[in-house]
Amino acid sequence: KAYKLLSATLRRAVGEKLIPSNPCMVKGAQSAISGKKVLIPTLEEVGRIAQHINPRYSRLVILMAFGGFRFGEVTELRRKDVSQCVVNKRKAYVFQVDRAVTLVGTESGKGYHVVDKPKSEAGIRAVTVTSMLTPMIESLLHDIDQDPDSLLFPSASDAGQHLRHDVFMNSWRPALSRA
């Protein structure tokens, strides 16, 4: 994992013309297996988690589960990224993903958010969400500011600021235990 991180960092440095080339050239070194087993929740488990989490995050949990969004992608989604469509003669919604947000740490420990492209080129995509979530999405759009740049899932303290991952996790972990 350390080699993969180093390689990605140096690849970005090459892209920003800070260094001439990436010295991380060991074949296969970036595909090390962590041994960590990823458990994918069932539909029922997602519902239980959404019921047990802080109510302001329940729609975020459901949208992440049904849309396959990474945290940095879903927390950078804005009203302008959402459009209506019709799927099997039923109204549904499409989310355009072309940005993601990352919290960058500082020496003071406070950190700041940086908006950039998603983790990979494959991350730039249009995600059509099942029409059974249409009422939830309409409720979400009703509850946020009408400005096209309004975040769908902002910080609780400032609607113009991104939700921090650590703040979300403070609700996520207990919700998993309760669910």
Side-chain angles (χ1 to χ4, degrees), residues 14 20 23 27-28 36 40 54 60-61 68 71 74 78 87 95 103 130 135 137 140 150 154 160 162 167 175:
V14 169
K27 289 185 190 278
K36 185 177 176 182
I40 299 171
N54 179 332
L60 182 142
V61 168
F71 184 81
V74 77
R78 297 172 184 269
V87 177
F95 294 81
L103 181 65
T130 175
I137 295 166
L140 172 65
S150 295
H162 290 91
V167 172

mmCIF file of all heavy atoms in Angstrom, residues 14 20 23 27-28 36 40 54 60-61 68 71 74 78 87 95 103 130 135 137 140 150 154 160 162 167 175:
data_model
loop_
_atom_site.group_PDB
_atom_site.id
_atom_site.type_symbol
_atom_site.label_atom_id
_atom_site.label_comp_id
_atom_site.label_asym_id
_atom_site.label_seq_id
_atom_site.Cartn_x
_atom_site.Cartn_y
_atom_site.Cartn_z
ATOM 1 N N VAL A 14 4.655 14.279 -11.469
ATOM 2 C CA VAL A 14 5.058 14.309 -12.882
ATOM 3 C C VAL A 14 4.032 15.113 -13.672
ATOM 4 O O VAL A 14 4.382 15.973 -14.489
ATOM 5 C CB VAL A 14 5.191 12.877 -13.459
ATOM 6 C CG1 VAL A 14 5.341 12.911 -14.975
ATOM 7 C CG2 VAL A 14 6.372 12.154 -12.825
ATOM 8 N N PRO A 20 10.691 15.099 -13.391
ATOM 9 C CA PRO A 20 10.639 14.691 -14.800
ATOM 10 C C PRO A 20 10.011 13.318 -15.046
ATOM 11 O O PRO A 20 9.406 13.088 -16.087
ATOM 12 C CB PRO A 20 12.108 14.700 -15.231
ATOM 13 C CG PRO A 20 12.891 14.545 -13.970
ATOM 14 C CD PRO A 20 12.064 15.164 -12.878
ATOM 15 N N PRO A 23 9.873 7.412 -10.560
ATOM 16 C CA PRO A 23 10.835 6.323 -10.363
ATOM 17 C C PRO A 23 10.193 5.006 -9.912
ATOM 18 O O PRO A 23 10.857 3.985 -9.881
ATOM 19 C CB PRO A 23 11.774 6.872 -9.291
ATOM 20 C CG PRO A 23 10.949 7.855 -8.540
ATOM 21 C CD PRO A 23 9.990 8.451 -9.546
ATOM 22 N N LYS A 27 7.166 -3.668 -11.510
ATOM 23 C CA LYS A 27 5.923 -4.268 -12.019
ATOM 24 C C LYS A 27 5.247 -5.088 -10.921
ATOM 25 O O LYS A 27 5.891 -5.855 -10.228
ATOM 26 C CB LYS A 27 6.204 -5.149 -13.221
ATOM 27 C CG LYS A 27 6.592 -4.373 -14.451
ATOM 28 C CD LYS A 27 6.735 -5.313 -15.633
ATOM 29 C CE LYS A 27 7.356 -4.635 -16.811
ATOM 30 N NZ LYS A 27 6.537 -3.873 -17.628
ATOM 31 N N GLY A 28 3.930 -4.884 -10.799
ATOM 32 C CA GLY A 28 3.142 -5.662 -9.851
ATOM 33 C C GLY A 28 3.179 -5.165 -8.417
ATOM 34 O O GLY A 28 2.417 -5.639 -7.582
ATOM 35 N N LYS A 36 -7.528 -7.575 3.610
ATOM 36 C CA LYS A 36 -8.735 -7.057 4.239
ATOM 37 C C LYS A 36 -9.942 -7.525 3.445
ATOM 38 O O LYS A 36 -10.023 -7.311 2.243
ATOM 39 C CB LYS A 36 -8.665 -5.524 4.264
ATOM 40 C CG LYS A 36 -9.783 -4.856 4.974
ATOM 41 C CD LYS A 36 -9.539 -3.342 4.971
ATOM 42 C CE LYS A 36 -10.678 -2.603 5.586
ATOM 43 N NZ LYS A 36 -10.462 -1.154 5.549
ATOM 44 N N ILE A 40 -19.976 -6.495 1.641
ATOM 45 C CA ILE A 40 -20.969 -5.660 0.985
ATOM 46 C C ILE A 40 -22.310 -5.909 1.661
ATOM 47 O O ILE A 40 -22.774 -7.052 1.718
ATOM 48 C CB ILE A 40 -21.041 -5.966 -0.525
ATOM 49 C CG1 ILE A 40 -19.672 -5.682 -1.152
ATOM 50 C CG2 ILE A 40 -22.141 -5.159 -1.190
ATOM 51 C CD1 ILE A 40 -19.531 -6.139 -2.571
ATOM 52 N N ASN A 54 -27.501 8.886 12.158
ATOM 53 C CA ASN A 54 -28.021 10.250 12.333
ATOM 54 C C ASN A 54 -28.915 10.546 11.116
ATOM 55 O O ASN A 54 -28.491 10.363 9.981
ATOM 56 C CB ASN A 54 -26.838 11.215 12.393
ATOM 57 C CG ASN A 54 -27.223 12.656 12.547
ATOM 58 O OD1 ASN A 54 -28.290 13.087 12.122
ATOM 59 N ND2 ASN A 54 -26.333 13.415 13.147
ATOM 60 N N LEU A 60 -27.763 9.987 2.438
ATOM 61 C CA LEU A 60 -26.404 9.825 1.917
ATOM 62 C C LEU A 60 -26.046 8.342 1.875
ATOM 63 O O LEU A 60 -25.510 7.846 0.876
ATOM 64 C CB LEU A 60 -25.418 10.608 2.801
ATOM 65 C CG LEU A 60 -23.964 10.582 2.355
ATOM 66 C CD1 LEU A 60 -23.337 11.953 2.605
ATOM 67 C CD2 LEU A 60 -23.178 9.538 3.100
ATOM 68 N N VAL A 61 -26.350 7.604 2.942
ATOM 69 C CA VAL A 61 -26.060 6.169 3.002
ATOM 70 C C VAL A 61 -26.788 5.434 1.875
ATOM 71 O O VAL A 61 -26.197 4.621 1.166
ATOM 72 C CB VAL A 61 -26.464 5.595 4.382
ATOM 73 C CG1 VAL A 61 -26.463 4.073 4.372
ATOM 74 C CG2 VAL A 61 -25.529 6.116 5.463
ATOM 75 N N GLY A 68 -23.294 3.555 -5.885
ATOM 76 C CA GLY A 68 -21.900 3.123 -5.951
ATOM 77 C C GLY A 68 -20.921 4.285 -5.866
ATOM 78 O O GLY A 68 -19.835 4.231 -6.427
ATOM 79 N N PHE A 71 -17.134 8.219 -1.006
ATOM 80 C CA PHE A 71 -17.497 9.305 -0.105
ATOM 81 C C PHE A 71 -17.144 10.673 -0.702
ATOM 82 O O PHE A 71 -17.938 11.602 -0.666
ATOM 83 C CB PHE A 71 -16.814 9.129 1.265
ATOM 84 C CG PHE A 71 -17.241 10.166 2.255
ATOM 85 C CD1 PHE A 71 -18.434 10.036 2.942
ATOM 86 C CD2 PHE A 71 -16.449 11.292 2.490
ATOM 87 C CE1 PHE A 71 -18.848 11.002 3.847
ATOM 88 C CE2 PHE A 71 -16.851 12.252 3.394
ATOM 89 C CZ PHE A 71 -18.048 12.115 4.072
ATOM 90 N N VAL A 74 -19.751 11.587 -3.509
ATOM 91 C CA VAL A 74 -21.108 11.927 -3.079
ATOM 92 C C VAL A 74 -21.135 13.238 -2.303
ATOM 93 O O VAL A 74 -22.093 14.000 -2.391
ATOM 94 C CB VAL A 74 -21.759 10.761 -2.284
ATOM 95 C CG1 VAL A 74 -21.243 10.688 -0.856
ATOM 96 C CG2 VAL A 74 -23.268 10.856 -2.300
ATOM 97 N N ARG A 78 -23.526 18.290 -6.337
ATOM 98 C CA ARG A 78 -24.263 19.550 -6.196
ATOM 99 C C ARG A 78 -25.576 19.444 -6.958
ATOM 100 O O ARG A 78 -25.752 18.568 -7.798
ATOM 101 C CB ARG A 78 -23.414 20.699 -6.727
ATOM 102 C CG ARG A 78 -22.117 20.862 -5.915
ATOM 103 C CD ARG A 78 -21.161 21.862 -6.527
ATOM 104 N NE ARG A 78 -19.920 21.893 -5.768
ATOM 105 C CZ ARG A 78 -19.688 22.702 -4.743
ATOM 106 N NH1 ARG A 78 -20.612 23.552 -4.346
ATOM 107 N NH2 ARG A 78 -18.540 22.666 -4.095
ATOM 108 N N VAL A 87 -36.903 5.918 -16.876
ATOM 109 C CA VAL A 87 -36.417 4.547 -16.994
ATOM 110 C C VAL A 87 -37.626 3.630 -16.883
ATOM 111 O O VAL A 87 -38.331 3.666 -15.873
ATOM 112 C CB VAL A 87 -35.398 4.219 -15.878
ATOM 113 C CG1 VAL A 87 -34.964 2.769 -15.965
ATOM 114 C CG2 VAL A 87 -34.194 5.151 -15.944
ATOM 115 N N PHE A 95 -27.105 11.245 -11.790
ATOM 116 C CA PHE A 95 -26.105 12.052 -11.098
ATOM 117 C C PHE A 95 -24.839 12.056 -11.941
ATOM 118 O O PHE A 95 -24.297 10.997 -12.249
ATOM 119 C CB PHE A 95 -25.811 11.460 -9.714
ATOM 120 C CG PHE A 95 -26.977 11.525 -8.785
ATOM 121 C CD1 PHE A 95 -27.991 10.577 -8.846
ATOM 122 C CD2 PHE A 95 -27.088 12.545 -7.857
ATOM 123 C CE1 PHE A 95 -29.085 10.637 -8.000
ATOM 124 C CE2 PHE A 95 -28.169 12.614 -6.998
ATOM 125 C CZ PHE A 95 -29.165 11.662 -7.069
ATOM 126 N N LEU A 103 -10.148 15.772 1.857
ATOM 127 C CA LEU A 103 -9.685 16.605 2.964
ATOM 128 C C LEU A 103 -8.179 16.471 3.041
ATOM 129 O O LEU A 103 -7.648 15.367 3.176
ATOM 130 C CB LEU A 103 -10.344 16.164 4.278
ATOM 131 C CG LEU A 103 -9.949 16.973 5.512
ATOM 132 C CD1 LEU A 103 -10.441 18.416 5.393
ATOM 133 C CD2 LEU A 103 -10.512 16.324 6.769
ATOM 134 N N THR A 130 -31.977 3.996 -9.354
ATOM 135 C CA THR A 130 -33.264 3.323 -9.467
ATOM 136 C C THR A 130 -34.441 4.254 -9.170
ATOM 137 O O THR A 130 -34.383 5.078 -8.269
ATOM 138 C CB THR A 130 -33.327 2.088 -8.540
ATOM 139 O OG1 THR A 130 -34.634 1.529 -8.606
ATOM 140 C CG2 THR A 130 -33.034 2.443 -7.106
ATOM 141 N N PRO A 135 -38.751 9.390 -4.825
ATOM 142 C CA PRO A 135 -39.304 10.235 -3.754
ATOM 143 C C PRO A 135 -38.233 10.738 -2.776
ATOM 144 O O PRO A 135 -38.266 11.887 -2.353
ATOM 145 C CB PRO A 135 -40.307 9.314 -3.047
ATOM 146 C CG PRO A 135 -40.663 8.279 -4.060
ATOM 147 C CD PRO A 135 -39.426 8.082 -4.883
ATOM 148 N N ILE A 137 -35.025 11.256 -3.451
ATOM 149 C CA ILE A 137 -34.204 12.258 -4.140
ATOM 150 C C ILE A 137 -34.973 13.567 -4.255
ATOM 151 O O ILE A 137 -34.407 14.641 -4.044
ATOM 152 C CB ILE A 137 -33.750 11.723 -5.519
ATOM 153 C CG1 ILE A 137 -32.814 10.523 -5.313
ATOM 154 C CG2 ILE A 137 -33.066 12.823 -6.327
ATOM 155 C CD1 ILE A 137 -32.558 9.708 -6.555
ATOM 156 N N LEU A 140 -34.796 15.232 -0.957
ATOM 157 C CA LEU A 140 -33.461 15.808 -0.778
ATOM 158 C C LEU A 140 -33.342 17.130 -1.531
ATOM 159 O O LEU A 140 -32.895 18.143 -0.973
ATOM 160 C CB LEU A 140 -32.399 14.822 -1.270
ATOM 161 C CG LEU A 140 -30.958 15.315 -1.340
ATOM 162 C CD1 LEU A 140 -30.430 15.635 0.044
ATOM 163 C CD2 LEU A 140 -30.077 14.286 -2.026
ATOM 164 N N SER A 150 -25.322 24.408 -4.856
ATOM 165 C CA SER A 150 -25.569 23.902 -3.507
ATOM 166 C C SER A 150 -25.141 22.444 -3.394
ATOM 167 O O SER A 150 -25.490 21.611 -4.238
ATOM 168 C CB SER A 150 -27.045 23.997 -3.148
ATOM 169 O OG SER A 150 -27.449 25.335 -3.087
ATOM 170 N N PRO A 154 -24.005 18.845 2.615
ATOM 171 C CA PRO A 154 -23.025 19.779 3.179
ATOM 172 C C PRO A 154 -22.742 19.505 4.655
ATOM 173 O O PRO A 154 -23.398 18.684 5.304
ATOM 174 C CB PRO A 154 -23.725 21.130 3.020
ATOM 175 C CG PRO A 154 -25.175 20.793 3.175
ATOM 176 C CD PRO A 154 -25.334 19.436 2.518
ATOM 177 N N GLY A 160 -22.325 25.788 2.905
ATOM 178 C CA GLY A 160 -21.370 26.030 1.824
ATOM 179 C C GLY A 160 -20.091 25.217 1.960
ATOM 180 O O GLY A 160 -19.225 25.266 1.096
ATOM 181 N N HIS A 162 -18.022 21.435 2.735
ATOM 182 C CA HIS A 162 -18.159 19.994 2.549
ATOM 183 C C HIS A 162 -18.278 19.273 3.891
ATOM 184 O O HIS A 162 -17.686 19.686 4.884
ATOM 185 C CB HIS A 162 -16.941 19.436 1.803
ATOM 186 C CG HIS A 162 -16.890 19.858 0.384
ATOM 187 N ND1 HIS A 162 -16.229 20.988 -0.024
ATOM 188 C CD2 HIS A 162 -17.436 19.307 -0.724
ATOM 189 C CE1 HIS A 162 -16.359 21.109 -1.344
ATOM 190 N NE2 HIS A 162 -17.088 20.107 -1.784
ATOM 191 N N VAL A 167 -16.354 13.413 10.548
ATOM 192 C CA VAL A 167 -17.641 13.746 11.162
ATOM 193 C C VAL A 167 -18.681 12.685 10.788
ATOM 194 O O VAL A 167 -19.438 12.206 11.643
ATOM 195 C CB VAL A 167 -18.107 15.159 10.729
ATOM 196 C CG1 VAL A 167 -19.525 15.440 11.187
ATOM 197 C CG2 VAL A 167 -17.139 16.214 11.261
ATOM 198 N N ALA A 175 -23.824 3.557 14.112
ATOM 199 C CA ALA A 175 -24.977 3.061 13.339
ATOM 200 C C ALA A 175 -24.759 1.604 12.934
ATOM 201 O O ALA A 175 -25.705 0.804 12.967
ATOM 202 C CB ALA A 175 -25.200 3.934 12.118
#
